[in-house]
């Protein structure tokens, strides 16, 4: 996956193939966490079922509520909940408190450039991507997540608006076809030279590898889902799969201008699958 020029943060890459993806230390880095040039493999496997990734909405004031319609009658095999928080600057500190289906996922301190929380990816000028392991808390049917932050608290300087809440879940369904899946995540801050203020570095490329034994002739379909934070309409950025450009020249365009700073998009990449 590749983005060039405008400041973009590539968050999740999920590839599922119907026959759509562990964690390094999460210490703050301007260019990316846990890596500056790639995403980190979080889950992979083969089963009869599918991959759920949703939802994508505009930047919102806390408390932020999002619902997720996971198919009925399935068994959840793996799930992570992601909460994106805008800090305003890497110097501001605060907190985020998240619940899922009434389960308290905890109050997490957000410490910007001093952050070292293992489940907080903070990069750029205070862009947080917080994840929670929720395999046992996700249920078939409607799921509800609520994220609150320190915005409005006396003495707080953290901006605290919520980009969105994203659920990524792998589920098993005996009536579904067999899929091979990969989930990769991270918070890579992609930017052109000079976008980092006093920092004159360039960080305009990030990738993820989905490795495994795949026979293209046996692949019925393949889909790639990506999540971006801090995207802007009009900033040229690119997504490639096996060398083929997909999604045009402005992939992270805030949902075609309908959302602010977040994109969740899925592409059919069946014709580009290779062994």
């Amino acid at each position: 996956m590749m983005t060039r020029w405008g400041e973009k943060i590539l968050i999740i890459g999920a590839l599922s193939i119907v026959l759509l993806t562990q964690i390094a230390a999460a210490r703050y880095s301007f260019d990316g966490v846990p890596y500056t040039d790639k995403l980190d493999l979080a889950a992979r496997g083969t089963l009869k079922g599918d991959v759920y990734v949703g939802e994508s909405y505009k930047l919102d004031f806390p408390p932020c509520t999002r619902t997720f319609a996971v198919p009925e009658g399935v068994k959840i095999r793996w799930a992570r909940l992601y909460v994106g928080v805008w800090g305003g600057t890497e110097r501001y500190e605060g907190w985020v408190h998240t619940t899922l289906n009434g389960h308290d996922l905890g109050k997490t301190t957000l410490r910007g450039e001093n952050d070292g929380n293992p489940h907080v990816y903070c990069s750029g000028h205070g862009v947080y991507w917080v994840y929670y392991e929720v395999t046992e808390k996700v249920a078939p049917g409607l799921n509800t997540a609520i994220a609150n932050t320190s915005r409005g608290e006396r003495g707080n300087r953290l901006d605290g608006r919520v980009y969105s809440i994203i659920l990524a879940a792998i589920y098993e369904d005996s009536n579904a076809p067999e899929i091979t899946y990969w989930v990769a995540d991270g918070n890579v801050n992609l930017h052109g030279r000079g976008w980092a203020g006093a920092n004159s570095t360039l960080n305009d490329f990030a990738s993820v590898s989905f490795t495994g034994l795949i026979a293209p002739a046996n692949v019925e379909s393949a889909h790639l889902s990506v999540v971006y934070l801090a995207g802007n309409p009009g900033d040229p950025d690119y997504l490639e799969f096996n060398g083929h450009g997909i999604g045009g020249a402005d992939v992270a365009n805030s949902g075609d201008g309908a959302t602010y700073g977040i994109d969740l998009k899925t592409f059919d990449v069946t014709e580009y699958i290779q062994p």
Side-chain angles (χ1 to χ4, degrees), residues 10-22:
L10 181 58
I11 308 300
I12 299 178
L15 175 70
S16 66
I17 298 178
V18 180
L19 272 272
L20 189 78
T21 91
Q22 248 320 3

Side-chain angles (χ1 to χ4, degrees), residues 77-95:
R77 289 300 187 185
W78 179 92
R80 274 185 180 176
L81 188 74
Y82 297 88
V83 178
V85 179
W86 171 227
T89 170
E90 65 270 41
R91 298 184 302 277
Y92 294 163
E93 299 186 5
W95 51 262

Side-chain angles (χ1 to χ4, degrees), residues 22 38 48-49 61 71 89 95 98 104 108 120 148 151 173 182 191 195 208 223 235 239 273:
Q22 248 320 3
K38 64 182 180 180
K48 284 189 172 184
F61 291 96
T89 170
W95 51 262
T98 306
D104 191 345
T108 301
V120 175
N148 201 2
R151 182 183 177 92
D173 181 355
W182 295 258
H191 60 84
W195 283 62
V208 57
H223 293 85
D235 284 348
L239 177 66
I273 292 296

Side-chain angles (χ1 to χ4, degrees), residues 12-18 20-21 43-54 69-71 74-80 166-173 176-184 223-226 264 266:
I12 299 178
L15 175 70
S16 66
I17 298 178
V18 180
L20 189 78
T21 91
R44 64 168 294 179
T46 298
L47 50 65
K48 284 189 172 184
D50 209 345
V51 177
Y52 175 93
V53 184
V70 177
V74 302
K75 183 173 181 59
I76 307 300
R77 289 300 187 185
W78 179 92
R80 274 185 180 176
I166 302 289
L167 175 66
I170 311 298
Y171 62 84
E172 188 173 32
D173 181 355
E178 184 176 83
I179 68 165
T180 296
Y181 64 86
W182 295 258
V183 178
H223 293 85
L224 177 70
S225 295
V226 293
L264 168 56
T266 298

Side-chain angles (χ1 to χ4, degrees), residues 11-12 53-68 81-86 96 98 127-132 145-149 160-167 227-230 259-264:
I11 308 300
I12 299 178
V53 184
E55 313 277 333
S56 180
Y57 295 100
K58 64 181 181 179
L59 187 72
D60 204 357
F61 291 96
C64 174
T65 301
R66 296 290 182 261
T67 56
F68 311 99
L81 188 74
Y82 297 88
V83 178
V85 179
W86 171 227
V96 59
T98 306
V127 175
Y128 297 90
W129 194 233
V130 185
Y131 75 86
Y132 306 88
I146 302 173
N148 201 2
T149 72
R161 283 176 290 177
V162 177
Y163 282 107
S164 192
I165 306 173
I166 302 289
L167 175 66
V227 177
Y228 291 83
L229 291 183
T259 65
Y260 182 83
I262 186 163
D263 290 273
L264 168 56

